Amino acid sequence: MNLTINRRFLLICLAVMVLARLAALPIYPLLDSSEGRYSLIPLTMVESGNWVTPSFAPGDPYLAKPPLSFWITAISFALFGASEFAARLPALLMVGASAFLVWLMALARGRDFALAAAAIFASMGYVNFLAGTVLPDISFALSITLAMVAFYKALSGEGRLWGYAFFVGAAASLLIKGPVGGVLIGLPLTVYLTWQGRWGDCFRRLPWLTGVPLTLLIVIPWYVLAERAYPGFLDYFLVGEHYQRYTNPRWPDRYGHGIITPMGTIWPFALAAAAPWSLLALWDLLFKSRRQAALAPEFRKDDWLRYLAVWAVAQLFFFSLPRHVLITYAAPSLPAIALLATHVLWRSWSERSRAALAACFVIGPAAVLGFSLFAHFRADSALLRTQKPVLALKAKIAPGDSAPVLYTPEVPFSASFYNRKGVDVAASWTAIGERAAREPVWAAVSRTRVKAVPAEVMARFTEVGRANDYLLLRSGAPK
């Protein structure tokens, strides 16, 4: 059977994916709450000069995550200015770096196999989403991937530099999301080393005596500085954001409202995140007897396959137990799933039509580009959660008007990102009404909440327009 593939075909598919995602980066507004939040924090770093404590504004810290992912975005803002493109560009670059690591991990199977694996990873639906979204999960997944790939390379005797790369990846994960990074690296490695009896190789081939101090040198200074800046940070972050979040589904998250999910939700999340390739590989495993018969002996003989299986399964098992799970939690396991899917599909690759393969490669980028174009041309759609069109409407109606747009009970993150000085928060609609009685102001309210505005307060305002799901109100009579 001919197992070779057309490299030009794969390279064209990769080029289409990259160009589609690159083109989509700047053409639609930052969306609330995640993109707005994780763009506002690095913008505050650049504006305030405080790169130690992630903050929404000076004096308003965000204590849920360490700063490395925010530093990366802040550097992008410093280089290119604060914009949608600069906010999203690091995500695309980091997904590209993850695809390169997948390629390196697959090289032992040949260059054709490695190219197919990288293309399969890059074309997974959720990877395409992450490649243009402002989330810490992209950099976190990259750090885990670096650690896992580097560990296997070092364990296989491919050089001590891989050993140091492992410790750098581990340190990066601790500066992006904290101790959970150590768990997602340590759990699969512990299972694998114990199962395969390779603890001796582990201690001989990795530079533990210099690697561990290197990790501590990278990680510890920021944690010390953060605790000094905000006493009690370590207790909230280590106990609250890690232990309580993992064990208590009703833990009161101060930065959001978690969704309670059934135990084991991470598995369908991972299947969906890795689509369409996860579905195609699952079809081969369930309905192609030749593939079923070949896989078991391959798995028994192939250490590379066992490592990847433990990488994916152990991480997903860890997230099977908590009741507060998001699809982003599957991201660190997607490189391993991509490599496993490539192995399953490889023998039947030449049996599939090029049109079907091309469809699998481009369906994710096409969906992302389609959404991006919709969000660009219909930025004021009620389906999009962003305040950019609301603030643009105010600027169009009253150019140069310095009166703030008031929100209650909090200012959406995207509003602060796009015009921090032009928005303000009020404790209640009563407070907004009192302020409107003293000075000209604007107010924005969601259509779903407008009925909660007291009639006497609403009487002080005139509706001047609508954008997204919001009504824009202006105190006094329209001009």
Side-chain angles (χ1 to χ4, degrees):
M1 181 181 295
N2 179 19
L3 300 184
T4 62
I5 60 172
N6 190 317
R7 293 182 184 178
R8 177 183 293 181
F9 168 72
L10 280 181
L11 290 172
I12 290 173
C13 289
L14 277 170
V16 169
M17 287 186 277
V18 172
L19 292 175
R21 208 57 186 98
L22 185 64
L25 297 183
I27 66 174
Y28 64 98
L30 296 172
L31 304 178
D32 285 314
S33 63
S34 294
E35 280 202 310
R37 170 191 292 167
Y38 296 126
S39 299
L40 179 60
I41 292 170
L43 179 62
T44 302
M45 286 182 170
V46 173
E47 291 179 345
S48 68
N50 178 4
W51 291 61
V52 173
T53 307
S55 303
F56 299 120
D60 184 12
Y62 177 65
L63 305 179
K65 290 178 177 63
L68 182 54
S69 65
F70 307 129
W71 288 344
I72 295 170
T73 307
I75 291 171
S76 183
F77 285 161
L79 292 174
F80 304 111
S83 66
E84 293 94 348
F85 176 81
R88 295 176 176 135
L89 179 61
L92 181 60
L93 296 177
M94 286 185 284
V95 166
S98 296
F100 178 68
L101 289 170
V102 168
W103 181 80
L104 287 175
M105 187 69 180
L107 266 181
R109 293 293 204 263
R111 289 186 175 273
D112 286 347
F113 184 97
L115 185 58
I120 283 175
F121 170 75
S123 57
M124 285 178 166
Y126 196 63
V127 171
N128 269 270
F129 169 79
L130 290 176
T133 307
V134 190
L135 287 172
D137 301 88
I138 302 105
S139 53
F140 183 62
L142 173 59
S143 68
I144 300 294
T145 303
L146 174 60
M148 296 300 295
V149 171
F151 184 89
Y152 189 79
K153 294 282 190 180
L155 196 69
S156 301
E158 296 189 29
R160 290 180 69 82
L161 283 178
W162 281 113
Y164 287 109
F166 163 73
F167 288 106
V168 170
S173 74
L174 297 174
L175 280 177
I176 296 169
K177 284 208 172 184
V180 68
V183 174
L184 292 183
I185 295 169
L187 178 61
L189 293 186
T190 299
V191 172
Y192 169 77
L193 292 171
T194 302
W195 178 27
Q196 299 302 115
R198 301 196 65 182
W199 283 103
D201 291 339
C202 172
F203 289 120
R204 283 192 302 271
R205 295 178 180 173
L206 275 83
W208 294 98
L209 291 180
T210 49
V212 171
L214 174 64
T215 301
L216 297 177
L217 183 64
I218 294 172
V219 173
I220 295 299
W222 178 80
Y223 281 87
V224 172
L225 291 173
E227 178 65 20
R228 285 183 178 177
Y230 288 92
F233 157 74
L234 289 177
D235 177 70
Y236 171 78
F237 180 65
L238 298 178
V239 178
E241 285 286 339
H242 283 76
Y243 176 74
Q244 289 289 348
R245 181 182 289 276
Y246 188 82
T247 60
N248 181 6
R250 290 179 173 80
W251 175 68
D253 185 352
R254 68 170 71 176
Y255 298 111
H257 306 286
I259 300 174
I260 298 178
T261 55
M263 293 178 65
T265 300
I266 192 65
W267 296 94
F269 277 172
L271 188 67
W277 301 104
S278 56
L279 302 177
L280 202 58
L282 193 61
W283 176 271
D284 274 16
L285 287 175
L286 293 178
F287 299 107
K288 292 197 173 183
S289 56
R290 287 181 303 167
R291 198 68 198 97
Q292 294 170 353
L295 191 61
E298 288 173 352
F299 188 79
R300 285 194 297 268
K301 295 185 294 183
D302 196 328
D303 179 73
W304 185 82
L305 279 180
R306 291 193 294 269
Y307 183 82
L308 294 173
V310 172
W311 172 355
V313 171
Q315 291 180 352
L316 295 176
F317 176 78
F318 175 76
F319 287 120
S320 297
L321 304 179
R323 299 285 306 280
H324 177 82
V325 172
L326 303 173
I327 193 172
T328 53
Y329 296 179
S333 65
L334 293 181
I337 294 173
L339 288 159
L340 290 168
T342 307
H343 178 81
V344 170
L345 298 171
W346 188 243
R347 289 184 180 275
S348 59
W349 192 274
S350 60
E351 300 172 9
R352 292 184 165 89
S353 71
R354 183 171 296 182
L357 290 172
C360 289
F361 280 120
V362 302
I363 188 172
V368 166
L369 187 58
F371 167 79
S372 303
L373 291 172
F374 167 80
H376 173 73
F377 291 108
R378 293 293 307 279
D380 61 348
S381 169
L383 298 175
L384 301 178
R385 297 179 60 194
T386 178
Q387 293 300 300
K388 185 178 183 180
V390 178
L391 300 177
L393 179 61
K394 185 240 181 181
K396 179 180 178 181
I397 294 172
D401 188 336
S402 61
V405 178
L406 302 180
Y407 293 85
T408 187
E410 59 189 10
V411 178
F413 296 115
S414 65
S416 294
F417 178 86
Y418 285 114
N419 192 357
R420 188 195 299 272
K421 295 180 180 178
V423 298
D424 203 357
V425 64
S428 64
W429 276 103
T430 300
I432 289 178
E434 293 172 351
R435 187 162 174 179
R438 299 192 306 268
E439 59 182 299
V441 294
W442 301 68
V445 58
S446 170
R447 299 180 199 183
T448 59
R449 296 183 179 180
V450 69
K451 292 183 179 179
V453 180
E456 63 273 17
V457 175
M458 200 66 180
R460 295 185 180 277
F461 289 90
T462 300
E463 180 185 332
V464 294
R466 300 188 177 197
N468 304 95
D469 189 39
Y470 275 73
L471 279 63
L472 182 63
L473 310 175
R474 186 176 190 177
S475 62
K479 297 183 180 179

